[in-house]
Amino acid sequence: MKIGELAKLSGCSIQTIRYYEKEGLISAPERTEGNFRVYNAVALEKLAFIKNCRALDLTLSEIKRLISLQHSPSTPCEAVNEMIDMHLLVVESRIEDLQNLHGDLRKLRLKCGNARSVDQCGILGELSPRPQRSSTRI
Amino acid sequence: MKIGELAKLSGCSIQTIRYYEKEGLISAPERTEGNFRVYNAVALEKLAFIKNCRALDLTLSEIKRLISLQHSPSTPCEAVNEMIDMHLLVVESRIEDLQNLHGDLRKLRLKCGNARSVDQCGILGELSPRPQRSSTRI
DNA sequence: GTTACACTCTATAGTAACTATAGAGTCAAG
DNA sequence: CTTGACTCTATAGTTACTATAGAGTGTAAC
Ligand SMILES: [Zn+2]
Ligand SMILES: [Zn+2]
Ligand SMILES: [Zn+2]
Ligand SMILES: [Zn+2]
């Protein structure tokens, strides 16, 4: 099959497939006489693997590492476990950051009601630094 | 003050300050005879405003919009409220996505114990498409 | 006066993972 | 033989910076 069909079957765009090839995530396929790429079912599996990994938000370089690990099947798989563990930590800290952000945004949202003018806006007022509203200091 | 001092006081890097100027978030300051940028306290306040907004993950173009709103102080501030509301929705959906991802990663992590070889790795097995393990079909 | 040093200037390239073109070529059908 | 769908390469754009290179500025010591 040509790249268009592979794109449809895999759910990756044509440009993404060519990009993965350029980045070394999939191997360069055979070409027709007219220089068109020709793929087989194996290519589709490789793309599916990459898609699964991307759905877990693994980076392309992590995926590359996994692929290269697959090329030495008898080595221990510890590195895979570690990668997932690291990933879990990153995701957890991102969630925490976003939850803090969410709290900040909600507090900020409460600073302004409806139908004020820009210079009276509680939100903009909160975002602006306050040089002389220092009633808390003597 | 020159850009180095502003950078220290504001917590933005020198390059970031110049970048904000190029992007139109802060106005181009006066220059010395030797072509050095010269700032005053107002510039510091503008940077503080931008920093506050960035801490809430507002994009530079959203911040630009807020700044331009501040230039017409008597218009209603509805757009500000809407921006924050939109932002809350985006953050909420990102959190949800990440929590789903977290669940997926944890489930995946359980697929592999310790000290297997790469070709026996439960994680890699799960990430790979399974062409003939179709025991669920007839 | 010159030399060392810290600072600043512009312009450019890099980051991640694509997306979107431009302009040229391929190939089958009508 | 032309139309149209497809493909090719190469390049630029996305976001919010960061990191250079190479040149110039300004001040203080010697
Ligand atoms: Zn990772
Ligand atoms: Zn308001
Ligand atoms: Zn937003
Ligand atoms: Zn494993």
Side-chain angles (χ1 to χ4, degrees):
Chain A
M1 70 185 117
K2 279 180 294 183
I3 198 168
E5 195 181 347
L6 181 65
K8 254 177 218 149
L9 292 178
S10 67
C12 300
S13 76
I14 290 176
Q15 297 101 300
T16 297
I17 295 172
R18 289 196 284 239
Y19 176 67
Y20 286 165
E21 178 185 329
K22 189 159 69 80
E23 295 298 306
L25 279 115
I26 56 179
S27 48
E30 303 285 311
R31 301 282 184 124
T32 65
E33 276 193 3
N35 202 32
F36 288 6
R37 291 171 177 84
V38 192
Y39 297 97
N40 53 26
V42 175
L44 187 56
E45 282 175 32
K46 308 269 187 200
L47 277 182
F49 177 80
I50 295 172
K51 266 211 125 189
N52 285 338
C53 292
R54 290 294 298 141
L56 296 171
D57 212 29
L58 295 173
T59 64
L60 296 193
S61 92
E62 285 169 329
I63 298 170
K64 238 166 134 172
R65 180 113 180 281
L66 289 181
I67 291 170
S68 89
L69 275 175
Q70 286 177 321
H71 292 159
S72 38
S74 59
T75 59
C77 73
E78 221 184 312
V80 179
N81 300 1
E82 276 167 20
M83 187 183 293
I84 303 299
D85 285 337
M86 287 299 294
H87 230 63
L88 273 166
L89 288 179
V90 171
V91 170
E92 279 160 17
S93 99
R94 277 212 297 238
I95 288 174
E96 205 188 319
D97 289 350
L98 279 176
Q99 279 169 342
N100 290 334
L101 177 58
H102 187 256
D104 291 347
L105 279 168
R106 278 214 318 189
K107 259 187 282 175
L108 182 65
R109 181 61 183 84
L110 297 175
K111 297 283 176 178
C112 195
N114 37 18
R116 297 199 206 171
S117 63
V118 161
D119 55 352
Q120 301 293 321
C121 177
I123 291 174
L124 287 175
E126 193 71 15
L127 288 170
S128 303
R130 290 141 280 179
Q132 58 256 29
R133 203 204 301 173
S134 49
S135 57
T136 54
R137 298 188 198 155
I138 303 173
Chain B
M1 70 184 117
K2 279 181 293 185
I3 199 168
E5 197 182 345
L6 181 64
K8 256 178 217 150
L9 292 178
S10 67
C12 301
S13 76
I14 290 176
Q15 297 101 300
T16 299
I17 295 171
R18 289 196 282 240
Y19 176 68
Y20 286 166
E21 178 185 329
K22 189 158 70 80
E23 294 298 305
L25 280 116
I26 57 179
S27 46
E30 304 284 312
R31 301 281 185 127
T32 65
E33 276 194 1
N35 201 32
F36 287 7
R37 291 171 176 84
V38 191
Y39 297 97
N40 54 26
V42 175
L44 188 55
E45 283 175 31
K46 308 269 187 199
L47 278 182
F49 177 81
I50 295 172
K51 266 213 124 188
N52 285 338
C53 293
R54 290 294 299 138
L56 296 169
D57 213 29
L58 295 173
T59 64
L60 295 193
S61 94
E62 285 169 328
I63 298 170
K64 237 166 134 173
R65 180 115 180 279
L66 289 181
I67 290 171
S68 89
L69 276 174
Q70 287 178 319
H71 291 159
S72 38
S74 58
T75 59
C77 73
E78 221 183 312
V80 180
N81 300 1
E82 276 167 21
M83 186 183 291
I84 303 299
D85 285 337
M86 287 298 296
H87 230 64
L88 273 166
L89 288 179
V90 171
V91 170
E92 279 159 16
S93 100
R94 278 211 297 237
I95 289 174
E96 205 188 319
D97 289 351
L98 280 176
Q99 280 169 342
N100 289 335
L101 177 58
H102 187 255
D104 291 348
L105 279 169
R106 277 215 317 190
K107 255 187 285 176
L108 182 65
R109 181 62 182 84
L110 298 175
K111 296 285 176 178
C112 195
N114 37 18
R116 297 199 206 172
S117 63
V118 161
D119 56 351
Q120 301 294 322
C121 178
I123 290 175
L124 287 175
E126 192 71 16
L127 288 170
S128 303
R130 290 139 281 178
Q132 58 257 29
R133 203 202 303 171
S134 49
S135 57
T136 54
R137 298 189 198 153
I138 305 173

